[in-house]
Amino acid sequence: MIMLLLCVITSASCNSKQRQTLAGSTGVVADDPTAVKAKEDIAGRIKNLYAKIAQKEEGIESYACHTWWNTVAAVDKKDAEVEEIGFFNDDLWTQMQDENPDDFEVRDMKFLQLDVEKGTALVDFVLWSSVQTIHQKFAFCREDGDWRVHNIIRCDTDFDGHETETDMMQAMQDYLAESQEGTSGLTYANMEGIYDSLDENMNSESRFCLNADGTATWGMVGSLNYTEYTYTIKGNTICLKPKDVDSEEDCYEYDEDTRSLKNEQGAVYYRQIVD
């Protein structure tokens, strides 16, 4: 009887330690009803998200948290100011560059971390479609009573067969923190000045005067006649538009090294040093 009692106590102790270890790694005990409900809710959110994307439905904003969308909006704004391809070169949710198909299927879902009390989770899954199959992880947070995506971790396989991970939130934050010099560092204040085109003997022929209030003038050097403009700054480009005239903008790319403005037709205006 004593030996039997010791076995029962030992077994109970082992089970208790196993449950404590599981609770320590996930934040909840595996068979806790709150954990089961949370997993069902999160799995449903992922599947519903891709069902909406497949059917090209609106309203996926509620599937990610405010921090995520605010960061995406900031990246979109920066992308709009650069001429080359920006940060987003593919669909944020499907990693596809062309139109998304309508047959997405979420497979092999695994919960790597779940803490109901803190409202955090990390889910690993495969997104299958007739176009491609991708492996990624979603980090979730609880916001406004719902489980929402807080981060996406992309899992890519290199040429050697090794899988690498990209933390999209960190990548977006790094992109936003990059130096703006040469792309969006131009302002009306630092572009104010005189810009001349030169003939073959390096004599000034025509002249742009850019003002700090967003206005400009152009005329032939030595002439009293001139044309008035307004101009806008788009990243590293100055776009001029004649005042009170219905015509297209004439855009010049600014080269910081040569301190020059050059348009698509090849006209070049060099900034003049004024004493």
Side-chain angles (χ1 to χ4, degrees):
M1 290 295 293
I2 293 174
M3 292 297 296
L4 179 61
L5 181 59
L6 288 174
C7 289
V8 171
I9 293 173
T10 302
S11 177
S13 176
C14 291
N15 289 337
S16 177
K17 290 181 179 179
Q18 185 177 13
R19 289 167 64 85
Q20 289 172 4
T21 301
L22 185 57
S25 63
T26 64
V28 292
V29 178
D31 58 358
D32 189 310
T34 59
V36 174
K37 178 66 166 57
K39 288 183 177 181
E40 291 175 350
D41 291 344
I42 292 171
R45 296 284 283 177
I46 296 175
K47 293 176 181 178
N48 289 339
L49 168 65
Y50 284 105
K52 281 183 172 291
I53 293 174
Q55 298 304 316
K56 299 174 178 58
E57 295 181 9
E58 301 291 333
I60 67 169
E61 291 79 10
S62 64
Y63 286 83
C65 68
H66 297 306
T67 300
W68 175 262
W69 287 124
N70 289 340
T71 307
V72 170
V75 172
D76 279 333
K77 182 179 180 181
K78 182 174 179 178
D79 278 355
E81 296 173 351
V82 298
E83 294 183 0
E84 64 275 8
I85 296 175
F87 182 86
F88 292 129
N89 190 31
D90 53 32
D91 188 286
L92 185 59
W93 301 98
T94 68
Q95 303 183 34
M96 296 183 184
Q97 295 183 348
D98 299 320
E99 185 176 357
N100 290 320
D102 59 1
D103 58 353
F104 289 117
E105 183 179 333
V106 178
R107 298 178 176 177
D108 301 330
M109 190 180 300
K110 303 180 185 70
F111 281 79
L112 304 181
Q113 187 271 335
L114 175 64
D115 192 320
V116 177
E117 184 176 348
K118 292 182 179 180
T120 60
L122 181 63
V123 185
D124 181 292
F125 66 94
V126 171
L127 180 65
W128 176 91
S129 76
S130 57
V131 176
Q132 68 182 41
T133 300
I134 62 172
H135 177 206
Q136 57 187 1
K137 302 172 185 177
F138 278 0
F140 280 87
C141 65
R142 288 280 291 181
E143 184 177 81
D144 298 333
D146 291 323
W147 288 98
R148 297 186 174 185
V149 176
H150 177 71
N151 193 10
I152 295 176
I153 299 173
R154 292 185 172 182
C155 304
D156 301 306
T157 303
D158 60 23
F159 292 108
D160 296 326
H162 300 119
E163 191 170 70
T164 58
E165 295 186 351
T166 302
D167 184 315
M168 294 301 291
M169 177 65 80
Q170 187 62 54
M172 288 192 291
Q173 291 173 346
D174 291 344
Y175 175 69
L176 293 171
E178 288 176 0
S179 172
Q180 301 295 303
E181 184 177 356
T183 56
S184 59
L186 306 187
T187 65
Y188 290 119
N190 63 32
M191 290 307 294
E192 181 181 16
I194 297 172
Y195 300 80
D196 286 1
S197 67
L198 308 176
D199 63 18
E200 58 185 10
N201 296 317
M202 303 301 291
N203 297 315
S204 297
E205 283 189 314
S206 60
R207 172 171 294 169
F208 272 119
C209 293
L210 301 184
N211 304 314
D213 62 357
T215 63
T217 59
W218 176 90
M220 299 300 296
V221 174
S223 173
L224 297 178
N225 298 318
Y226 59 87
T227 303
E228 293 184 305
Y229 292 82
T230 58
Y231 70 96
T232 57
I233 299 174
K234 301 178 181 179
N236 206 41
T237 304
I238 304 295
C239 292
L240 298 106
K241 185 177 179 62
K243 281 187 176 181
D244 305 321
V245 177
D246 186 16
S247 65
E248 295 183 355
E249 293 180 325
D250 189 13
C251 294
Y252 292 77
E253 184 176 355
Y254 182 68
D255 187 319
E256 187 176 3
D257 294 331
T258 61
R259 294 167 60 87
S260 64
L261 293 167
K262 182 178 181 180
N263 66 6
E264 292 182 351
Q265 290 72 41
V268 181
Y269 287 78
Y270 296 90
R271 187 164 187 166
Q272 304 301 297
I273 299 175
V274 180
D275 295 330

